[in-house]
Structure formats: structure tokens, C-alpha cells
Amino acid sequence: LAFGCPGVLAMLGLEAAAPGECELTRLLQDKLQYEMRLQYMKHYFPMDYVLQVQYEEVLRPANVTRLRNKTVSEMALRYLWFHVSSQAVLRIREVLPEKHPSWKYTQELCQLFDALGKEYSKYRQ
């Protein structure tokens, strides 16, 4: 999971279009820093724990490059990242008990993704 204004989106060579989207992706970038992901998504999970995902649920930079080369719009790529990332966080939340050390972290991620989803819904109207 990696996006943001200009820093996080830079991974995919994108920039957020609207100030609200930019601020939300910056907050997501802060929450998705390597150290936080390591602490909450690796150290707090049982060893050898596996969460099954479909191939389509993984967004790789090479796939984004391929889509960009096929002239997929920047907005469509941002929305794709949002969709894949928010669904991944929801899948993680499904298996976490409320007392798990990562519960609050994933709750905050879900709230940020919900807010970002509301920003994107404005674009569709």
C-alpha cells in the first residue's frame, strides 16, 4: 500500500488532483510508513499467519506501468489503488479480534480510506 501527495503517489508517478484527496493520501502515507506496517502488520501477527488473497487483489508497480502504457487515466489509477488498498485493509480487519494490538491501527486506516472514498465519490457526481 503506497500512495500520497507527491511522496506516496510518486511511487507510481501520480499526483493527487484535489486538496482533500491530497491531504487524505498524505495522512495515509504517514500511517503506511514501513515502520508502522512492520510493527502492526508483521510483529503483532502470529508467525506463519497467512491471509489468503486473490492475484487480482495485489497491486504491483509493474502492473501499474502496464496500465499506464495502455493510457489508463491517472484518476483511474488512483481509484484502482484506493480500491485494492481499502479492500486489503478490510480483509485484515475481518480476522482481527477487537483486543488485538493492530485493531486501532487498522481502524484508523479504514476511517482514512472511507474519507478518501467519499472524496472519490464527489468526482463521480
Side-chain angles (χ1 to χ4, degrees), residues 56-70:
E56 297 80 18
E57 294 176 296
V58 178
L59 186 61
R60 293 180 170 85
N63 295 343
V64 173
T65 300
R66 237 176 283 137
L67 289 170
R68 185 176 288 121
N69 290 341
K70 292 182 179 183

Side-chain angles (χ1 to χ4, degrees), residues 36-86:
M36 292 188 85
R37 289 192 331 261
L38 185 64
Q39 177 181 351
Y40 290 107
M41 297 297 153
K42 182 177 181 187
H43 294 323
Y44 287 162
F45 271 74
M47 249 185 179
D48 299 326
Y49 186 83
V50 176
L51 181 65
Q52 296 294 324
V53 295
Q54 300 296 317
Y55 178 79
E56 297 80 18
E57 294 176 296
V58 178
L59 186 61
R60 293 180 170 85
N63 295 343
V64 173
T65 300
R66 237 176 283 137
L67 289 170
R68 185 176 288 121
N69 290 341
K70 292 182 179 183
T71 64
V72 173
S73 75
E74 187 175 304
M75 184 63 210
L77 289 174
R78 287 197 309 267
Y79 185 78
L80 175 63
W81 172 84
F82 156 76
H83 181 72
V84 169
S85 300
S86 62

Side-chain angles (χ1 to χ4, degrees), residues 90-105:
L90 288 174
R91 294 280 304 273
I92 292 167
R93 284 293 303 255
E94 289 174 358
V95 301
L96 287 179
E98 279 192 49
K99 295 188 185 229
H100 192 281
S102 296
W103 178 263
K104 184 177 181 220
Y105 173 72

Side-chain angles (χ1 to χ4, degrees), residues 110-121:
C110 285
Q111 290 169 345
L112 288 170
F113 278 118
D114 286 346
L116 188 57
K118 288 176 185 165
E119 280 294 314
Y120 286 141
S121 70

Side-chain angles (χ1 to χ4, degrees), residues 19-29 112 115-117 119:
E21 179 186 0
C22 189
E23 178 61 20
L24 289 167
T25 54
R26 186 192 61 74
L27 292 170
L28 277 166
Q29 178 182 11
L112 288 170
L116 188 57
E119 280 294 314

